[in-house]
Amino acid sequence: MWYDKNVELYREDVNPMERYYQPEIECAPVEKIKEWQNEKLVRQVRHVYDNVAYYRKLMEEKGVTPDDIRSTDDLYKLPFLTKADLRDAYPYGLLAKPLSDCVRIQSTSGTTGKRVVAFYTQKDVDLWEDCCARAIVAAGGTNEDVCQVCYGYGLFTGGPGLHGGSHKVGCLTLPMSSGNTQRQIQFMLDLQSTILCCTPSYAVYIGETLREMGYSKEDIHLKAGIFGAEPWTQEMRRDIENSLGIKAYDIYGLTETSGPGVSFECSEQTGMHINEDHFFAEIIDPETGEVLPEGSKGELVFTSLDKEAFPLLRYRTRDICVLSRKKCSCGRTHIKMSKPMGRSDDMMIIRGVNVFPSQIETVLLKQGYTSNYQIVVDRVGSTDTFDVYVEVTEEQFADTVRELTLREEELSGAMKLMLGINPKVHLVQPKSIARSEGKAVRVVDKRKLHD
Ligand code: DLL
């Protein structure tokens, strides 16, 4: 059910084309949302205190009991949870339900240190899938659509999350998982897929492969894409929209809080509505932990209000963003988060300057290059080296060495304007940088190997 005429949201200032999966929740008055949040928070803190010894100890150390938490205004009294806590407590230390009540495990890729394992009861899976269904409907999905899910299936939450959401909406679901890109395109053509779900870097690769196979956007039937799991810039959005002939929607989430669908974009494309009935968001100063007012840039912290099996209170995501409750033309009332401006741990400090990969991507796409690039940072003696490898097109690669050198200098200059320091830019031949079927590896920081 994604359309409910009884809800008083067909206001004049609302986009009449907008559709909702759960309009009574997505467009509820803000006071109502706050009421739900307060009720749920009180219940959730009690549930965690009673069932998670690890967090109860953190609360005791801070001298706070469940009775001290009467509304979200009291949230600041509770201790934070970090990824380090999740690793300490691995695998069962934060579980709040008996294993016999759990029906699913999902996990992070665990490239840095131990994996994070998240547990779900059937109700947890159900609510997670509702969140993904809201995102699909916001992107225009209905039961007439063919939804091709090319996020990885398995322990990664991308595939299972969007798959569940697609079922709930009633789309014909193509559970492709990632990889085998030519086959993806064949299915896309044969079954006339209308919605594509994958990482933005994989969407770029799909567009590239489509052209290599001799097709264009006119040959496919896609109308929308739901892309997330990694940072991507507005420039990359335009690139994908042009190459696939679609509207590209952002979706955000993390394994610890369930997976994709914590927030998602609507037709306005000016940030992602957080599913506030399930997740309470705070922005804090990453240095001091102080809660910052709406509109401030800082680290996003989530409290899951409904999760039964793995209910995290004040979980520090390390994602840096801004929250805004500005009225949205889509009619949804849930608070919006900006695109994450990088993770606090994505930020590189090169020669004392803070550098985010997204800044480099913005320069490249503005200058007419593709998003196929890689940043390599190293240290020689006590000096940081900073190299950016950028692929060029066949035509550009046919240029003379002198022309290519000029282009490299030009790009390096544009990056200096953005970052304050000069990288050494290397224009490299087409297809020489490995393509990603999941999350792209943008940075190779070799300094970590020497430490
Ligand atoms: O990436 C869940 C997901 C799957 C989200 C599919 C969207 C689509 P993790 O592997 O645990 O979970 O990684 C979570 O990825 O803390 C962010 O740093 C980053 N991230 C997720 N979505 C976005 C996005 C999934 N839309 C981590 N923009 C998060 C920027 C994102 N970064």
Side-chain angles (χ1 to χ4, degrees), residues 23-180:
E24 67 292 351
I25 298 172
E26 295 174 66
C27 307
V30 173
E31 307 71 58
K32 190 81 210 158
I33 298 174
K34 292 205 182 267
E35 229 175 81
W36 292 332
Q37 289 178 328
N38 289 338
E39 267 174 33
K40 289 181 179 192
L41 179 68
V42 169
R43 201 172 56 222
Q44 189 69 303
V45 172
R46 174 57 69 187
H47 171 54
V48 171
Y49 188 83
D50 290 346
N51 295 294
V52 184
Y54 188 99
Y55 197 77
R56 183 165 59 240
K57 184 159 168 277
L58 293 181
M59 282 175 70
E60 282 164 1
E61 280 165 11
K62 245 192 145 206
V64 50
T65 70
D67 291 336
D68 296 319
I69 311 299
R70 290 161 191 270
S71 76
T72 55
D73 291 342
D74 297 320
L75 204 56
Y76 73 94
K77 298 176 185 166
L78 289 173
F80 290 118
L81 267 178
T82 63
K83 201 154 200 147
D85 289 310
L86 267 60
R87 288 186 180 136
D88 272 0
Y90 175 89
Y92 300 125
L94 289 163
L95 191 61
K97 280 280 190 183
L99 271 182
S100 53
D101 287 356
C102 297
V103 297
R104 179 88 70 82
I105 283 175
Q106 302 284 167
S107 171
T108 58
S109 54
T111 41
T112 50
K114 237 188 243 170
R115 280 181 179 279
V116 166
V117 187
F119 299 83
Y120 305 69
T121 61
Q122 185 54 53
K123 183 176 161 223
D124 292 334
V125 173
D126 206 39
L127 296 186
W128 173 29
E129 292 178 351
D130 280 346
C131 290
C132 291
R134 290 181 195 173
I136 293 172
V137 173
T142 72
N143 59 358
E144 302 290 324
D145 280 294
V146 179
C147 182
Q148 183 160 345
V149 183
C150 329
Y151 285 111
Y153 278 63
L155 285 170
F156 178 53
T157 54
L162 270 305
H163 179 99
S166 172
H167 268 230
K168 286 218 167 187
V169 177
C171 303
L172 175 62
T173 309
L174 294 187
M176 299 295 295
S177 196
S178 57
N180 205 338

Side-chain angles (χ1 to χ4, degrees), residues 151 156-158 228-231 250-255 260 319 340 343 439:
Y151 285 111
F156 178 53
T157 54
E230 62 182 0
D250 205 350
I251 184 167
Y252 167 90
L254 54 162
T255 313
D319 291 320
R343 291 167 68 85
K439 301 190 190 221

